[in-house]
DNA sequence: ATTCTTTATCGTAATATTGCAATATAATTT
DNA sequence: AAATTATATTGCAATATTACGATAAAGAAT
């Protein structure tokens, strides 16, 4: 026991969970915010920006990359990381749909 | 070491991370989808719907509740759980803003 | 009152995540 | 080629999460 039973859930559900999980850490939210703010991206900037060691930041960047939320490109001796718009769009789409569903079909219980 | 350094990040960043983290598990995505689908909510339905034991489902429900994503109300001898529209709205808002920012200021690197 | 139903909690094992120091790698500069 | 710079990987300790059997709690039905 202990391991998530991903295989029992649909690919769609797993896809959303995996994106959300990647964002589910403040350091990784901060990284995304920073990439968006500077609108250009070299990892060392991020290390300086975060209250975490270089290896830890590298690890978080890896997690974001594996989830498809950011992309990295070798650029000289540093690496250019930036947001993958498609991943954010997927999340935006998903929560947009949830929101729409909720506001149209107002729930028939828990009426508080 | 091992514990997330939440205290080093802004409340806003922590709030998003905590919501995303709660959704970051397929069982919890499935729970939300189910609550939305049936548009009414008794936990036992959810247990039957998921490939997980009752205690595990209960644990996931607790996680969702603590994150503010669902609400529960005692209803006879069962509990009526349902989505908290405000939490979904927060996420929708956040990713909407990210998406908008990305599409307007197109990134000046990683141009692939 | 006893039994049934529904949900929560406890205890515990398996696994995953977080964080960092040390080290490795690889391009850049000197 | 040595030193520097930027990033990744390894190894490991601390902590958190996931899952479930057993059990508890609490209202409902008999």
């Amino acid at each position: 026991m202990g391991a998530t039973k991903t295989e029992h859930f649909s690919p769609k559900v797993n896809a959303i969970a995996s994106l959300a999980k990647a964002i589910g850490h403040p350091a990784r939210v901060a990284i995304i915010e920073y990439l968006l703010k500077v609108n250009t991206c070299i990892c060392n900037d991020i290390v300086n920006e975060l209250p975490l060691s270089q290896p830890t930041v590298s690890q978080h960047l890896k997690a974001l990359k594996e989830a498809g939320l950011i992309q990295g490109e070798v650029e000289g001796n540093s690496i250019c990381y930036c947001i993958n718009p498609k991943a954010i769009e997927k999340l935006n789409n998903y929560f947009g749909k949830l929101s729409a569903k909720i506001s149209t079909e107002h729930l028939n219980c828990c009426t508080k």
Side-chain angles (χ1 to χ4, degrees), chain A residues 5 10 20 24 27 32 39 44 54 59 63 65 68 76 78 84 86 94 101 104 108:
Chain A
K5 291 188 159 182
S10 77
I32 288 177
N39 202 34
N44 191 242
Q54 181 270 321
Q59 204 173 247
K65 198 177 177 186
S78 69
N84 177 5
K86 284 184 186 174
Y94 184 70
K101 218 170 194 174
T104 57
N108 62 4

Side-chain angles (χ1 to χ4, degrees), chain A residues 2-73:
Chain A
T4 294
K5 291 188 159 182
T6 27
E7 69 279 9
H8 294 332
F9 298 94
S10 77
K12 184 201 158 198
V13 159
N14 276 309
I16 293 297
S18 135
L19 284 172
K21 187 178 184 181
I23 298 188
H25 190 288
R28 296 195 291 264
V29 174
I31 287 171
I32 288 177
E33 300 260 308
Y34 186 66
L35 285 180
L36 219 73
K37 184 180 128 205
V38 298
N39 202 34
T40 180
C41 36
I42 288 135
C43 175
N44 191 242
D45 288 0
I46 298 172
V47 172
N48 296 333
E49 195 71 10
L50 296 181
L52 295 168
S53 72
Q54 181 270 321
T56 302
V57 172
S58 185
Q59 204 173 247
H60 283 304
L61 286 166
K62 194 182 176 188
L64 285 170
K65 198 177 177 186
E66 277 174 0
L69 275 159
I70 64 174
Q71 302 168 314
E73 211 175 303

